[in-house]
Amino acid sequence: MLRLGPDAPEAGSFFRAVAQAAAAGSRAPGVMYYKFSGFTQKLTGAWASDAYFPQGLKPVVSTEAPPIIFATPTKLTSNSPAYDYAGKNKVPELQKFFQKSDGVPIHLKRGLPDQMLYRTTMALTVGGTIYCLIALYMASQPKNK
């Protein structure tokens, strides 16, 4: 039987008693265990083992890495670079190009390709707006029989 109060033994023995009760799989008389239910979001009655190891926390079994399965030997070469990409880094040059203050908007800085893309986008936007307005006008008119 567990004793709680001023004449109770040290706290470590309490946890030892809880662990023993959990191992036995029974409830100690007069002691009630609770756990938080993730399904109902309330406290529910539980066995000592569930209350002692809440929410599925179990003691650490092993910290060793598991053995490698299907390991194949690899040969490391020291003459290969740490990174491999095609070409040189163009970011600093592009930053200077796009940050140059020459009065041209950023979306038109690269010349003809940007102008064509911009004008196509504007044409499709204006055309789509006109089409939507025509469709709304036609939908608002009653049908003649």
Side-chain angles (χ1 to χ4, degrees):
M1 181 157 155
L2 297 174
R3 289 182 295 149
L4 298 176
D7 60 339
E10 68 211 40
S13 63
F14 171 75
F15 289 112
R16 227 176 290 119
V18 171
Q20 289 171 354
S26 64
R27 294 182 188 213
V31 177
M32 193 69 187
Y33 297 102
Y34 295 93
K35 72 173 184 174
F36 183 75
S37 172
F39 182 71
T40 62
Q41 301 293 309
K42 295 180 180 179
L43 286 177
T44 59
W47 293 99
S49 60
D50 294 336
Y52 190 65
F53 300 115
Q55 299 295 320
L57 298 176
K58 301 294 179 193
V60 177
V61 177
S62 174
T63 58
E64 296 178 17
I68 298 175
I69 301 173
F70 302 118
T72 58
T74 57
K75 182 170 59 170
L76 299 175
T77 59
S78 61
N79 59 0
S80 65
Y83 50 87
D84 185 25
Y85 60 89
K88 68 175 212 161
N89 189 4
K90 297 179 184 178
V91 172
E93 296 168 8
L94 290 174
Q95 283 177 339
K96 287 178 188 173
F97 177 72
F98 283 109
Q99 290 175 355
K100 189 173 30 172
S101 64
D102 53 2
V104 179
I106 189 79
H107 59 278
L108 299 175
K109 284 263 187 187
R110 286 193 286 171
L112 187 63
D114 284 346
Q115 288 176 0
M116 295 300 292
L117 183 62
Y118 176 75
R119 289 178 181 164
T120 303
T121 304
M122 284 294 112
L124 288 172
T125 303
V126 170
T129 303
I130 292 171
Y131 178 78
C132 286
L133 292 174
I134 291 172
L136 282 172
Y137 176 76
M138 291 175 62
S140 67
Q141 300 299 317
K143 289 195 171 204
N144 294 332
K145 288 189 176 184

